[in-house]
Amino acid sequence: MIPAFGAIAALALTLPAPNAAIPTSPRPLAAALTQTERSLDAAIDRWNTSAPPPRDVTLLALYEQRILRTLGTNRPLAAAVVRLDPAAADDVAARAALTQLAASSPPLRAAPRVGPAPAPDRLLGWYREAQTRFRIRWQLLAAVNFVESAFCKVRNVSTAGAQGPMQFEPATWRAYGLGGDVHDPHDAILGAANYLAANHGATRERGALYRYNHSSLYVDAVARYARQITRDTRAFLRYYSWQVYVRTPTGSRRVTGPR
């Protein structure tokens, strides 16, 4: 018997639970990642991005994120999945680089402080304003904002004393912050563009990123995320919809998103 249209629609709308199981072998995992990203792209295309992510985007993005976090800690599995799904290479490599970078960094001294991100449309407007003024690609600014504070969701001061959505140390902010508020997303984005431009970021992005954070792992992760956003603007919205994880003595813990 052919299923009724309503049943087909119900199946199509099935969404992964916040803690849905993740396949543990390469082929099912690659298939799950591919299908999740396909469904997520369709959900993003239906989203009014002047508002927060809808439920379908949130759940699909979380499942995608959990898959990539798993791959970021398991090199053999990651290599096998990338062979099956080459389009995942940048996301997998960026996640692995950030996992390695976090392992070499001290944990936060204070409990995590998080808050809502500005709407994607507002962020995109600020990135484009900074691009026009300082000739730094908006995709690069978005990638920095993503890695530094999960698009302004993380509100902690770093162990090095860096503050705000783009994580400036006080002396650097005084020099490049244009007199703005380091905690204001608009001001912070303009300050970051100013700093990157002063370090030749319009023509030598990787060198400017290294001045921003003296880590080749950081540079590689930001550059890969920027490349993904350049290839498909949906990638910016996928990353925007990811949740915040923090390191604890017993492992990573998710502190935002659905339960």
Side-chain angles (χ1 to χ4, degrees):
M1 179 182 294
I2 298 174
F5 176 79
I8 295 173
L11 287 172
L13 292 173
T14 300
L15 296 169
N19 294 306
I22 292 173
T24 56
S25 55
R27 195 166 294 278
L29 188 51
L33 180 59
T34 299
Q35 182 56 54
T36 299
E37 291 183 337
R38 188 175 297 139
S39 298
L40 178 54
D41 283 348
I44 284 171
D45 288 343
R46 297 188 295 269
W47 171 17
N48 173 5
T49 53
S50 64
R55 181 172 178 269
D56 55 353
V57 170
T58 297
L59 290 171
L60 289 162
L62 176 58
Y63 194 62
E64 175 199 45
Q65 182 184 14
R66 291 176 58 228
I67 290 174
L68 292 169
R69 289 182 67 85
T70 297
L71 296 175
T73 60
N74 187 329
R75 286 190 178 187
L77 182 60
V81 168
V82 168
R83 282 195 295 271
L84 294 164
D85 180 12
D90 275 336
D91 278 333
V92 170
R95 182 63 251 165
L98 292 178
T99 299
Q100 188 178 345
L101 181 61
S104 65
S105 304
L108 289 172
R109 300 189 186 101
R113 293 174 49 242
V114 295
D121 284 359
R122 294 189 73 193
L123 285 172
L124 185 55
W126 295 333
Y127 301 144
R128 291 192 184 279
E129 177 188 350
Q131 175 179 268
T132 299
R133 183 168 174 181
F134 294 104
R135 296 179 53 242
I136 301 298
R137 292 190 304 130
W138 78 261
Q139 296 93 338
L140 188 69
L141 293 167
V144 171
N145 193 194
F146 173 41
V147 171
E148 293 292 355
S149 68
F151 296 110
C152 317
K153 297 183 187 106
V154 178
R155 309 292 171 83
N156 288 70
V157 176
S158 79
T159 53
Q163 303 176 43
M166 301 301 258
Q167 288 290 282
F168 275 94
E169 293 181 13
T172 308
W173 181 254
R174 285 193 295 272
Y176 296 96
L178 305 166
D181 179 354
V182 71
H183 298 288
D184 180 85
H186 170 261
D187 292 354
I189 289 164
L190 289 178
N194 185 28
Y195 181 82
L196 290 168
N199 288 284
H200 311 290
T203 54
R204 297 201 294 273
E205 289 183 351
R206 294 184 73 92
L209 288 172
Y210 191 81
R211 292 295 300 272
Y212 205 98
N213 186 317
H214 298 316
S215 165
S216 58
L217 293 169
Y218 174 90
V219 172
D220 189 58
V222 171
R224 287 179 183 276
Y225 286 135
R227 184 160 60 202
Q228 289 289 81
I229 295 168
T230 301
R231 287 172 177 160
D232 185 352
T233 306
R234 290 192 199 97
F236 162 56
L237 297 169
R238 289 197 290 116
Y239 301 147
Y240 176 94
S241 303
W242 285 5
Q243 303 304 326
V244 176
Y245 283 77
V246 297
R247 288 172 58 218
T248 73
T250 57
S252 294
R253 178 168 64 93
R254 180 164 59 86
V255 296
T256 63
R259 299 294 172 185

